[in-house]
Amino acid sequence: MKNITTGENCGELQVALDIIVGKWKPIILFHLMENEKLRFSELQRAIPEITKKMLTSQLRELEYNDIVHRKVYQQVPPKVEYSMSPYGHGLKPLLVSMRSWGTEHLEHLEKLYGKDNEEQKEQI
Amino acid sequence: MKNITTGENCGELQVALDIIVGKWKPIILFHLMENEKLRFSELQRAIPEITKKMLTSQLRELEYNDIVHRKVYQQVPPKVEYSMSPYGHGLKPLLVSMRSWGTEHLEHLEKLYGKDNEEQKEQI
DNA sequence: ATACCTAGTTACTTTTAGGAAACCATTTGA
DNA sequence: TCAAATGGTTTCCTAAAAGTAACTAGGTAT
């Protein structure tokens, strides 16, 4: 019988994926990468379709993973600023690579299926 | 008012993510990257927890995206071999980068929270 | 005749992710 | 006295992803 390798350390890829999957995490990260610091409400305005709940939860997960930093000003009304943490900046090259792979992949799919590949996609 | 940038082309990162998210896609991809070609049943044995349904659906999506190739032998009982497509091999560097980032990230989390960071994680 | 093999499919259930809307605390300004 | 502002939380609900288990085709071995 064939000796099949283990797909080892694939859980560690999952670790990376967990950071960036979630419907809103990539867009949040790109905003923070481009803006240095943003208040909660600025993020809300920048991503109008997101709900407070989702914005909060996604930011909390990113904060737990030390990707973003949360700075609370003790004042009323509250002021909270989010920014990429020093460590979080290390994620940037990966995000950029993924985005460019995605861009090229869209072109590849277009070559394969044509511009209107939405129907085929549905059938899967 | 501050001019907030758009987080542009973030949808194209999502394109890349769509390829590799899905509970089983990373491990399937690593197996195929390491083994050149595998039958359906070999993949099943290599990933014992996966169900036929999930294995089929994940492979179909990868096939649609031209990442894996599916070769059917016209015989009974059926024989189907899966392998990375030539195009699919281009995904390898990205997957490897993600995995090493994940590896380092695990170490980073350990430094932050200690080895037993599972409880904290739960609270998020 | 019957059981077994592979590579699936189908119908149904459970689990998880995400969304909607209401609520909260605290201080300033009208 | 009351509304507005900010950064949330909470409860409830829906939709999507994943899991379970039974079923299929069709040729081969017993």
Side-chain angles (χ1 to χ4, degrees):
Chain A
M1 187 165 144
K2 217 161 153 187
N3 188 24
I4 297 169
T5 59
T6 49
E8 58 177 327
N9 294 345
C10 162
E12 319 201 332
L13 173 60
Q14 285 291 358
V15 171
L17 279 176
D18 286 344
I19 306 302
I20 44 185
V21 303
K23 192 169 170 186
W24 302 103
K25 277 181 198 159
I27 195 167
I28 291 172
L29 287 173
F30 275 106
H31 277 294
L32 289 175
M33 275 165 37
E34 290 166 355
N35 285 284
E36 181 181 11
K37 63 184 178 181
L38 288 171
R39 296 182 63 172
F40 186 87
S41 52
E42 290 177 323
L43 277 166
Q44 259 192 113
R45 274 193 290 278
I47 314 168
E49 327 81 55
I50 200 172
T51 61
K52 288 158 175 284
K53 177 193 165 189
M54 287 310 293
L55 185 51
T56 311
S57 73
Q58 307 285 280
L59 284 169
R60 288 290 141 79
E61 289 180 36
L62 292 169
E63 191 194 355
Y64 171 81
N65 283 290
D66 192 26
I67 307 297
V68 310
H69 177 241
R70 177 168 178 265
K71 180 171 186 184
V72 180
Y73 292 83
Q74 281 302 348
Q75 61 182 58
V76 170
K79 178 178 176 182
V80 180
E81 275 177 359
Y82 292 93
S83 54
M84 295 298 280
S85 74
Y87 172 76
H89 282 291
L91 187 55
K92 203 166 172 172
L94 193 54
L95 291 174
V96 169
S97 300
M98 292 181 68
R99 185 172 57 179
S100 36
W101 188 87
T103 305
E104 287 168 35
H105 185 60
L106 279 179
E107 290 166 21
H108 186 72
L109 285 182
E110 202 174 289
K111 256 185 289 180
L112 287 178
Y113 300 113
K115 275 197 187 298
D116 49 330
N117 51 33
E118 294 307 314
E119 320 89 64
Q120 285 105 326
K121 224 171 164 182
E122 295 306 316
Q123 289 169 13
I124 299 204
Chain B
M1 187 167 146
K2 216 158 151 190
N3 188 24
I4 298 170
T5 59
T6 49
E8 57 176 329
N9 294 346
C10 163
E12 318 199 332
L13 173 60
Q14 286 290 357
V15 170
L17 279 177
D18 286 345
I19 306 304
I20 44 186
V21 302
K23 192 168 171 186
W24 302 104
K25 277 182 197 157
I27 196 167
I28 291 172
L29 287 172
F30 275 106
H31 278 293
L32 290 175
M33 274 166 37
E34 290 166 355
N35 285 285
E36 180 181 13
K37 64 184 179 180
L38 287 172
R39 296 183 62 172
F40 186 86
S41 52
E42 290 176 322
L43 277 166
Q44 257 192 116
R45 273 194 291 278
I47 314 169
E49 327 81 55
I50 201 173
T51 62
K52 289 158 175 286
K53 178 193 163 189
M54 287 311 294
L55 184 52
T56 311
S57 73
Q58 307 286 281
L59 285 169
R60 289 289 141 81
E61 289 179 35
L62 291 169
E63 192 193 355
Y64 171 81
N65 282 290
D66 193 26
I67 307 297
V68 310
H69 177 240
R70 176 168 179 266
K71 180 170 186 186
V72 181
Y73 293 83
Q74 283 302 349
Q75 60 182 57
V76 170
K79 176 177 176 182
V80 179
E81 274 176 359
Y82 291 92
S83 54
M84 295 297 281
S85 73
Y87 172 76
H89 281 292
L91 186 55
K92 203 165 174 174
L94 193 53
L95 291 174
V96 169
S97 300
M98 292 182 67
R99 185 172 56 178
S100 36
W101 189 88
T103 306
E104 289 169 33
H105 186 60
L106 278 179
E107 291 167 20
H108 186 72
L109 285 181
E110 203 174 286
K111 257 186 289 179
L112 287 177
Y113 300 112
K115 276 198 187 298
D116 49 330
N117 51 33
E118 294 307 313
E119 319 90 62
Q120 285 106 325
K121 225 171 162 182
E122 296 304 316
Q123 288 169 15
I124 298 206

